[in-house]
């Protein structure tokens, strides 16, 4: 076992997923695979924050149903989101009578939750763990950037926070396994442009992906896909260059959830981002390919930018992280 | 094994701790036990946020030294704090070349981090895990309440966020063990007074403590101390009443870190709070009693209020949680 990579002896399984997507996301590649397409991005609530929480609650509830389980059979919910004090996860957890572990890794939160959940299952402590995360364009804009009402122009290197959520039920039985997890280190290349997350996060993705390949003794070709969370088009190109510099070519099998979730016109924007981005794409489109053929081995390497408006205002650069889990049909 | 409680087969150990306290805290019971007393609550930094991060970094660095280890020997850092996007933990993690798992449980974060860290050690995946958390009065006031410059009057039921941090090195060898962990559920009694956290959190503490005692088949008297994190004086009395209502008397051996960290005059305020409260008191005063005699069995049950300024502004009540770990001299 490498220092950063845990190889799971008992190969915990992903029993089922459930995803929900906003209107813009539903029009994209994930549309036909999600459990629910939203026509109203307020989901019938009076605030976007309550809508985000309701979406996460929906994903958790329906993942349990899709797994054929009862709420009482979920031993722990591991969840987080982008909002201050991860209120979407905390308030969603309030609706379920399930022990709750709050986690925060920005847009890497899903991979972190899957890694912690898989560890708790693999060790035999727990039978079923729910990993879930989500995000909402309008809550993220308000909290991290500007009020939508200002109608600020978005620079071309900007990304679009995904309105979506995904829930993942982990257990012992099944044929889609989480075979290993690589815990990421914080990497900071000194990027201070909060509109250029892809560039800020790419070095963290390289660090974790190369660490994973080295510690598992695997070549990139071992995986059908090396999936990053939300580097976007520019960040993905930077990642391929950075890994190429280290003598590793992931160009043939790399795909980024943020790049495929929308139809990207790179002059306008770089694609999707947010804790819900990898949850939505992996939980719907990619998971369907694992279940029904087309994909057998995925490395999900989700990155997160660990900044806050306060750290940026105080002149800090953007520390980033990437956690990875290998998901294989066994 | 109960549904919420994990009994650790290999009894992961707390190898060492390190704590740092602000001026007000250093004047109290923990003063003579901390690794560093701060005379300047800005710790030489130009902002309180940077001071909070520097304190957490100090606690992590010196816990490693106190354990007689090198940074490279710590496999994972599990940490969180009260600031938006847990920037103190994230930026502290940036300074160490250690994989990082960000967690958030408000003032219950230390217990959550110890529970996750102990699970990762006990399962044999990792050799050494660092659990660390901290808080700072001035950053918490600015973020959750009012700018200090306003000089707002504090109501008598209010608590005082502890300026302090603690780091805990977990490993396999030693005689102070984490023998079990009980993961808490979110409990919401409908309290909306953000100045009355003790009342809001007490029901969560009762739920987890009674669940732990039931699932382990232990009587409160099994423990020398049942230690809550920061219920304060009022919250502690509410907890004793709530458990008494359920036929369990913890009055004889209950103590609250927030109640003992300062000299409490209840007409003025209820005591300390914050993620650093239990880290500071448990990591210094209580850990010294475990190491040098006086205490052999502690149940550390740290509570957290999972609200945000946005959730309060939108009329939400305060969901709370309590995670518990049993720490025993073996």
């Amino acid at each position: 076992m490498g220092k950063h990579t845990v190889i799971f002896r008992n190969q915990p399984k992903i029993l089922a997923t459930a995803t929900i997507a906003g209107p813009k996301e539903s029009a994209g590649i994930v549309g036909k695979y999600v459990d629910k397409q939203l026509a109203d991005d307020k989901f019938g609530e009076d605030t976007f924050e309550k809508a985000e929480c309701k979406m996460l609650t929906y994903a958790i509830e329906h993942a349990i149903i899709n797994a054929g389980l009862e709420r009482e059979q979920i031993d722990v919910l591991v969840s987080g989101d982008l909002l201050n004090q991860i209120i979407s996860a905390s308030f969603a957890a309030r609706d379920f009578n399930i022990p709750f572990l709050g986690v925060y890794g920005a847009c890497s939160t899903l991979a972190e939750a899957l890694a912690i959940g898989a560890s708790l299952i693999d060790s035999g402590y727990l039978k079923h763990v729910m990993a879930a995360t989500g995000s909402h364009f309008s809550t993220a804009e308000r909290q991290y950037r500007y009020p939508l009402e200002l109608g600020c122009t978005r620079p071309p290197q900007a990304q679009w926070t995904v309105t979506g959520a995904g829930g993942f039920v982990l257990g012992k039985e099944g044929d889609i396994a989480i075979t290993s997890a690589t815990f990421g280190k914080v990497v900071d290349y000194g990027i201070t442009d909060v509109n250029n997350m892809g560039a800020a996060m790419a070095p963290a993705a390289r660090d974790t992906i190369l660490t994973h390949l080295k510690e598992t003794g695997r070549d990139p070709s071992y995986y059908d896909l090396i999936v990053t969370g939300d580097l976007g088009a520019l960040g993905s190109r930077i990642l391929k260059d950075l890994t190429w510099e280290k003598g590793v070519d992931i160009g043939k099998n790399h795909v980024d959830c943020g790049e495929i979730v929308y139809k990207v016109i790179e002059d306008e924007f770089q694609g999707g981002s947010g804790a819900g981005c990898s949850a939505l794409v992996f939980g719907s489109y990619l998971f369907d390919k694992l279940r029904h053929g087309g994909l057998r081995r995925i490395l999900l390497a989700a990155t997160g930018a660990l900044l806050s408006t306060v750290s940026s205002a105080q002149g800090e650069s953007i520390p980033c992280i990437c956690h990875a889990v290998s998901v294989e049909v066994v």
Side-chain angles (χ1 to χ4, degrees), chain A:
Chain A
M1 186 186 86
K3 183 179 177 183
H4 300 58
T5 302
V6 171
I7 308 294
F8 295 118
R9 301 178 205 93
N10 307 310
Q11 303 194 327
K13 310 302 189 296
I14 302 177
L15 306 188
T17 72
T19 51
I20 176 170
K24 184 180 170 79
E25 293 69 22
S26 297
I29 189 172
V30 301
K32 66 186 247 214
Y33 300 98
V34 296
D35 292 74
K36 187 173 182 60
Q37 299 186 3
L38 287 179
D40 159 29
D41 70 349
K42 270 195 176 171
F43 205 177
E45 295 294 315
D46 57 358
T47 72
F48 290 117
E49 286 76 15
K50 289 181 180 177
E52 178 179 321
C53 180
K54 187 175 178 181
M55 291 174 70
L56 186 57
T57 302
Y58 179 96
I60 294 167
E61 188 170 15
H62 286 262
I64 295 172
I65 294 169
N66 292 346
L69 298 173
E70 302 294 329
R71 292 182 173 200
E72 298 64 34
Q73 293 176 269
I74 306 297
D75 296 320
V76 168
L77 164 66
V78 186
S79 184
D81 57 86
L82 299 181
L83 294 185
N84 295 340
Q85 287 69 58
I86 58 169
I87 50 172
S88 293
S90 301
F91 282 80
R94 184 177 63 175
D95 295 339
F96 298 89
N97 197 32
I98 301 172
F100 170 60
L101 292 175
V103 291
Y104 183 77
C107 308
S108 73
T109 301
L110 175 66
E112 180 183 348
L114 289 172
I116 291 173
S119 301
L120 292 169
I121 297 275
D122 193 55
S123 56
Y125 298 139
L126 306 177
K127 283 204 183 75
H128 299 108
V129 173
M130 171 72 65
T133 185
S135 54
H136 194 299
F137 171 75
S138 300
T139 64
E141 286 298 304
R142 165 151 70 184
Q143 178 177 286
Y144 289 103
R145 299 176 187 89
Y146 303 99
L148 295 173
E149 294 77 359
L150 273 180
C152 294
T153 311
R154 303 169 63 80
Q157 71 273 29
Q159 291 173 250
W160 188 278
T161 304
V162 162
T163 299
F168 301 75
V169 181
L170 309 183
K172 297 174 189 297
E173 310 303 329
D175 60 0
I176 300 177
I178 297 177
T179 53
S180 72
T182 300
F183 299 117
K185 302 192 303 277
V186 173
V187 176
D188 189 334
Y189 264 38
I191 304 281
T192 54
D193 176 2
V194 296
N195 282 308
N196 199 354
M197 292 300 178
M201 297 191 294
R206 173 188 55 187
D207 185 78
T208 298
I209 290 169
L210 294 187
T211 298
H212 174 84
L213 295 174
K214 180 159 175 271
E215 294 185 347
T216 57
R218 292 172 179 171
D219 183 82
S221 61
Y222 175 86
Y223 292 104
D224 300 323
L225 284 181
I226 294 175
V227 182
T228 47
D230 58 351
L231 294 176
L234 174 59
S236 293
R237 282 193 277 109
I238 294 172
L239 170 63
K240 285 171 202 166
D241 292 347
L242 289 175
T243 49
W244 178 261
E245 282 176 6
K246 295 287 185 180
V248 178
D249 180 9
I250 64 168
K252 291 184 203 63
N253 56 349
H254 169 267
V255 63
D256 181 70
C257 295
E259 198 171 2
I260 62 174
V261 69
Y262 304 122
K263 189 176 183 311
V264 172
I265 299 105
E266 214 177 314
D267 295 348
E268 296 173 12
F269 81 124
Q270 300 300 321
S273 66
C277 185
S278 55
L280 179 59
V281 175
F282 176 60
S284 62
Y285 174 66
L286 295 176
F287 192 74
D288 180 82
K289 298 288 175 244
L290 286 168
R291 169 168 281 167
H292 300 118
L295 293 173
R296 294 189 59 81
R297 294 166 169 177
I298 287 179
L299 181 66
L300 177 67
T303 52
L306 305 175
L307 79 167
S308 82
T309 52
V310 169
S311 67
S312 298
Q314 294 185 4
E316 280 285 4
S317 54
I318 306 171
C320 297
I321 197 162
C322 175
H323 298 295
V325 290
S326 58
V327 182
E328 307 181 57
V329 178
V330 292

